[in-house]
Amino acid sequence: MSDTGRREQNEDAYFTGRMNGYHVFAVADGLGGHACGEVASRMAIAILAEVAGEGLPGTWPATVLECAFQRANAAVYTYNGENGLNAGTTLSAAIVAESGRCWIGTVGDSRTHIITPSSVWHTRDQSYVQGLVESGVISPAEAMIHPRKNVLTQALGLAARVQVDLDERDLAGGGLVLSSDGLHDYVPANIIQEIVLAGDPETACRRLIGAARDAASTDNTTVIVARS
């Protein structure tokens, strides 16, 4: 589900699909401070889906993700050069095998979470405040209210190359949640966990969007919830 929230337009984009024996999920958040963020996010999602469809199952999923992210970055970067723009987007994408093995790529601060009854794991944000958290300057709770929490250290389309963070995890029967920062910048991880474990994915999506609204999220909010 995707919610415009208090913004004039929704610059988020998302994808869910089954491709050649794998499940593919992705969320992209166009950068609101740059022209045509909605174009950048939709380009990234379209290119991810295209590369995954071409590469799976013959190519290792992590390689597919790296290729997709770099191709999306190049496309948005070229679009910017041709149009005199500075469009950018985040992208978080997961490729999941039938075994539950999960390959995840991240640029920016959209997140992929793996949620079990005993734990919440999520990808590392490529952001200024994440660096402060990792250096011990602020806590994760303080990061949620930091005035510079939306400052990214990486985004697609703003440079000729981009650094993609790649993770490989096992779902182990847990739930998979992908979200733009309109959710996780406002709703704590324990609340996300509680909502996802309480019901089916459709209900969880609806409740997570509601929780973001209740927390006074001012951003677009996009959430994907998947459970085996």
Side-chain angles (χ1 to χ4, degrees):
M1 298 180 68
S2 191
D3 182 56
T4 302
R6 300 184 185 182
R7 298 290 178 88
E8 291 184 2
Q9 64 178 341
N10 195 337
E11 295 184 313
D12 289 356
Y14 64 92
F15 177 82
T16 66
R18 184 178 172 86
M19 293 185 169
N20 303 320
Y22 291 88
H23 300 275
V24 180
F25 307 97
V27 166
D29 178 359
L31 304 187
H34 301 288
C36 297
E38 73 282 1
V39 174
S41 63
R42 291 181 177 94
M43 286 177 68
I45 290 295
I47 291 170
L48 172 81
E50 178 184 351
V51 173
E54 293 171 353
L56 297 172
T59 305
W60 190 245
T63 304
V64 170
L65 288 170
E66 177 72 31
C67 177
F69 276 67
Q70 295 297 346
R71 192 182 295 182
N73 180 70
V76 178
Y77 186 69
T78 299
Y79 170 81
N80 283 335
E82 291 173 348
N83 294 279
L85 296 173
N86 198 28
T89 185
T90 71
L91 182 61
S92 189
I95 298 175
V96 185
E98 293 294 343
S99 65
R101 201 65 183 163
C102 183
W103 295 264
I104 303 163
T106 305
V107 166
D109 63 352
S110 293
R111 288 182 186 172
T112 295
H113 314 67
I114 295 175
I115 294 177
T116 70
S118 60
S119 67
V120 176
W121 174 90
H122 64 74
T123 49
R124 175 190 178 275
D125 295 345
Q126 293 180 332
S127 68
Y128 170 74
V129 296
Q130 181 63 34
L132 297 181
V133 171
E134 291 175 355
S135 63
V137 174
I138 63 173
S139 70
E142 290 171 322
M144 293 181 71
I145 58 173
H146 195 281
R148 299 186 67 188
K149 67 180 180 180
N150 293 322
V151 176
L152 302 182
T153 55
Q154 293 283 316
L156 296 179
L158 303 184
R161 292 283 295 179
V162 69
Q163 175 191 323
V164 185
D165 287 347
L166 296 170
D167 293 285
E168 185 175 344
R169 310 284 296 190
D170 194 336
L171 287 180
L176 187 72
V177 178
L178 283 77
S179 61
S180 60
D181 64 343
L183 176 72
H184 53 260
D185 269 3
Y186 298 88
V187 181
N190 65 307
I191 302 299
I192 295 174
Q193 178 188 35
E194 178 184 323
I195 290 173
V196 170
L197 295 176
D200 62 272
E202 182 177 352
T203 300
C205 278
R206 190 178 301 110
R207 289 187 61 199
L208 289 169
I209 295 288
R213 289 177 180 164
D214 291 345
S217 174
T218 59
D219 205 349
N220 306 146
T221 303
T222 299
V223 182
I224 297 170
V225 179
R227 297 184 69 177
S228 58

